[in-house]
Amino acid sequence: EGSNSTSRLALTEAIVDHQTFFLTSQQAKFASPDVSKYKDRYLSLFPPGVSLLGAPFFLLGKLLSVPQIIAYLSVALTALINVILITLLSRRLGASLPASLLSSTTFLFATNALSYSSTYTQHHATSMVLLLTLLLVNSRLSALNSLYIGLISGLGVLLDLPNLLFVFPALLFYSHRYLSRFPIALRFTAAIPGLALPISFLLWYNISTTNSPFLMAQFVGRAREFVTSPSPTNTPSSARKFSLPYDSRKLVNGLYILLISNERGWFYYF
C-alpha cells in the first residue's frame, strides 16, 4: 500500500475512533512518509476530504469487523458513479447511447481508473467533482445550480488543493453564460456561499491542526523520524527558508514520464 492511501486511512481512523484530526505515533508510523509533525503532534500530509468521505464507510466496516475494506469500497463506488456521470455527460453533449457507454467503459478499463479504484486516494473523487461540475454548467441557468456548483467546487478543494484550478475553466464558462444573458448576474452569486462553506471548513481544519487558517500540513513538511531509508542527498528541509509540497525537479521528470516515456507516455503510445 502506498502512503498516499495509508495517510488518509490513518486520518479516517483518528476521526472515527478518537474524534480528532491528530494521529497517534502508531498511526503516524503507518502513514509515513506522508505525515507531518507540528508542535509534537502528527498530521496527515493531505487535505481531509477523502478521509471525511470515507469515515461513514469506515464506521460501517467496524460493525462488520472489516473497516479498511469497507473504507476502500467508498473509492470503488465513486469510480462506478463516474462511469454513470461520463455516460450522462456524453449524452448531454449529443453522443448516442452506444458511444456514451463506450466512453465510460474506455474511462474505466483503458485508463488507470480501475487500478485507482482500489486505492484510498483522491483521484476518483476529483474526477467526480469535475464531472458533476461539467454537467451542472451545461444545465439550465438557476440560482440553485449556482449553489450546487459552488458547493461541489469547494468540496473539490477539500479533496485536493489543485482541484480549484481544474474546475476554474468550467466556472469561467458558467459565469460567462450568466453575464451574457443578465446585465446583473444576481443568480450567479448563489455560488459564493456554496463555495465558501467547504473552504471555511478547510480553514477551520487548518486552525485546529496548525493554529493558522492558511498553514497546511503539506507546507509544514514531512516528518522524517519514521523513515528508515537513507536521507536524500538534496538540501535538507531544515536548511530551506520554507517548505513546499511539490518538488519542481520531480514535476519535470513526471511530465517526461506522462508525455514521452515508454512507461506510460501519451505520445509514445499514441
Side-chain angles (χ1 to χ4, degrees):
E1 291 180 284
S3 57
N4 55 348
S5 292
T6 58
S7 180
R8 291 180 169 96
L9 184 65
L11 179 56
T12 297
E13 185 180 41
I15 293 171
V16 173
D17 290 348
H18 307 294
Q19 296 78 52
T20 182
F21 297 128
F22 298 106
L23 309 182
T24 64
S25 58
Q26 184 177 2
Q27 290 168 337
K29 185 176 182 180
F30 176 67
S32 181
D34 286 329
V35 61
S36 295
K37 188 176 184 180
Y38 185 78
K39 293 185 177 180
D40 296 325
R41 288 185 167 184
Y42 297 107
L43 309 169
S44 172
L45 200 67
F46 304 109
V50 174
S51 301
L52 290 170
L53 289 176
F57 292 86
F58 187 89
L59 185 60
L60 175 62
K62 288 192 67 176
L63 300 176
L64 302 175
S65 300
V66 282
Q68 182 173 347
I69 293 176
I70 303 300
Y72 275 55
L73 181 62
S74 64
V75 181
L77 291 176
T78 306
L80 293 178
I81 293 173
N82 287 338
V83 169
I84 297 172
L85 292 176
I86 290 174
T87 303
L88 293 176
L89 182 61
S90 300
R91 292 287 288 164
R92 180 162 295 178
L93 294 176
S96 64
L97 181 59
S100 301
L101 293 174
L102 179 61
S103 299
S104 58
T105 304
T106 301
F107 163 77
L108 188 61
F109 295 108
T111 71
N112 52 10
L114 186 62
S115 59
Y116 276 126
S117 67
S118 61
T119 65
Y120 199 58
T121 56
Q122 83 284 7
H123 301 92
H124 276 293
T126 292
S127 299
M128 184 174 66
V129 165
L130 295 176
L131 290 168
L132 285 172
T133 304
L134 290 174
L135 280 169
L136 287 171
V137 300
N138 284 284
S139 301
R140 63 185 180 88
L141 303 175
S142 70
L144 187 60
N145 271 351
S146 296
L147 179 65
Y148 288 152
I149 289 173
L151 183 62
I152 291 170
S153 300
L155 290 174
V157 178
L158 274 178
L159 295 167
D160 201 17
L161 292 181
N163 287 347
L164 188 59
L165 297 177
F166 295 159
V167 301
F168 180 75
L171 296 178
L172 192 63
F173 168 75
Y174 191 64
S175 63
H176 173 71
R177 290 183 66 193
Y178 265 114
L179 295 175
S180 64
R181 293 185 57 177
F182 300 98
I184 302 176
L186 294 179
R187 295 184 185 181
F188 182 72
T189 59
I192 297 176
L195 183 64
L197 186 62
I199 292 181
S200 297
F201 178 85
L202 180 62
L203 296 178
W204 172 77
Y205 170 81
N206 292 337
I207 292 173
S208 301
T209 52
T210 64
N211 299 320
S212 171
F214 304 110
L215 180 60
M216 301 189 65
Q218 289 174 304
F219 294 96
V220 173
R222 285 181 167 89
R224 303 293 302 177
E225 56 200 85
F226 299 109
V227 179
T228 56
S229 58
S231 300
T233 56
N234 57 351
T235 305
S237 58
S238 58
R240 300 173 183 170
K241 293 183 179 179
F242 55 88
S243 177
L244 292 175
Y246 305 109
D247 188 321
S248 58
R249 293 188 179 184
K250 290 183 179 179
L251 288 175
V252 172
N253 185 56
L255 188 63
Y256 157 76
I257 294 174
L258 179 66
L259 294 180
I260 60 177
S261 75
N262 60 2
E263 296 179 40
R264 61 173 70 181
W266 291 355
F267 297 123
Y268 183 89
Y269 288 101
F270 180 69

